[in-house]
Amino acid sequence: HEALENLEIEMILHSLDTDKLVWDWKTIEALEAIQSEPAGVIFIEEATGAVRDICSKTAQRIPFVTVEWKLDHAGSVLNDYHLSTYNVIHYLVSERNAKKILVLKGRDYQYNAGEKLRGIREAAKKFGLAEQENIFYLDTDFDAISGYTAVSQFLQEQTVDAIFCAND
């Protein structure tokens, strides 16, 4: 918004003030309406299902930029998730002498989660960390209490040198 304020560009800000997992018909409706306008769209965060479908259709019709996720026909601003998580595992093994690592992972189907896991698995392979022996993956949601419960249960059966959250 600040970058555009001195330009003669009308900006419409749309936010559902909700978690990306509960985007719904309001998001779809807003994106359908915008397709008839000469404006561009910047869509922040990730989208799946019907919301991703409408984002793809919108990106084919008007300038469309995504932030933190890839979409065909759209410009994308992305972090290097692969390299960053590779570097974390490299650091834990090389600098912290971690022999066993627990990775709390998020939603594998999301672009960033997949890239993060790819980086972790590549580093694990390089450092000879075998799954279920030296590196463990634990599915968790994004709630602190359930994460605490899952890790507590895991640690009753296994010890690790490091715990790494691969996502939120």
Side-chain angles (χ1 to χ4, degrees):
H1 187 274
E2 290 174 6
L4 296 175
E5 71 184 350
N6 293 326
L7 301 175
E8 297 294 321
I9 297 174
E10 180 182 352
M11 183 170 20
I12 300 167
L13 180 62
H14 174 72
S15 173
L16 295 181
D17 294 324
T18 186
D19 184 272
K20 62 190 168 201
L21 293 180
V22 293
W23 284 338
D24 56 12
W25 60 270
K26 290 181 185 178
T27 305
I28 293 170
E29 189 176 84
L31 287 167
E32 285 174 341
I34 256 172
Q35 289 179 27
S36 64
E37 309 233 349
V41 172
I42 297 176
F43 207 80
I44 300 175
E45 290 289 0
E46 297 168 71
T48 59
V51 173
R52 188 176 181 94
D53 292 344
I54 193 64
C55 287
S56 294
K57 288 177 186 171
T58 305
Q60 291 172 23
R61 292 186 171 95
I62 64 172
F64 196 98
V65 176
T66 60
V67 179
E68 298 295 332
W69 56 292
K70 273 189 173 179
L71 184 68
D72 291 340
H73 308 291
S76 299
V77 178
L78 298 170
N79 289 319
D80 191 339
Y81 297 113
H82 171 259
L83 180 61
S84 64
T85 53
Y86 178 96
N87 287 341
V88 168
I89 299 302
H90 180 275
Y91 169 79
L92 291 172
V93 172
S94 299
E95 302 295 323
R96 304 299 294 185
N97 201 31
K99 305 276 190 249
K100 287 184 168 185
I101 300 171
L102 171 61
V103 177
L104 306 181
K105 61 185 190 127
R107 302 169 181 107
D108 297 5
Y109 59 86
Q110 292 177 327
Y111 170 79
N112 61 350
E115 285 297 292
K116 289 174 184 181
L117 289 172
R118 191 169 68 90
I120 293 165
R121 288 191 168 115
E122 185 178 304
K125 183 177 180 181
K126 177 182 179 183
F127 292 104
L129 301 175
E131 286 192 33
Q132 301 307 317
E133 188 178 319
N134 304 97
I135 190 160
F136 305 89
Y137 297 93
L138 186 60
D139 287 318
T140 60
D141 59 22
F142 296 102
D143 177 81
I145 294 171
S146 65
Y148 174 83
T149 301
V151 171
S152 295
Q153 289 173 351
F154 177 87
L155 292 176
Q156 289 176 6
E157 299 175 18
Q158 187 69 247
T159 60
V160 292
D161 301 309
I163 299 174
F164 171 55
C165 296
N167 215 327
D168 300 347

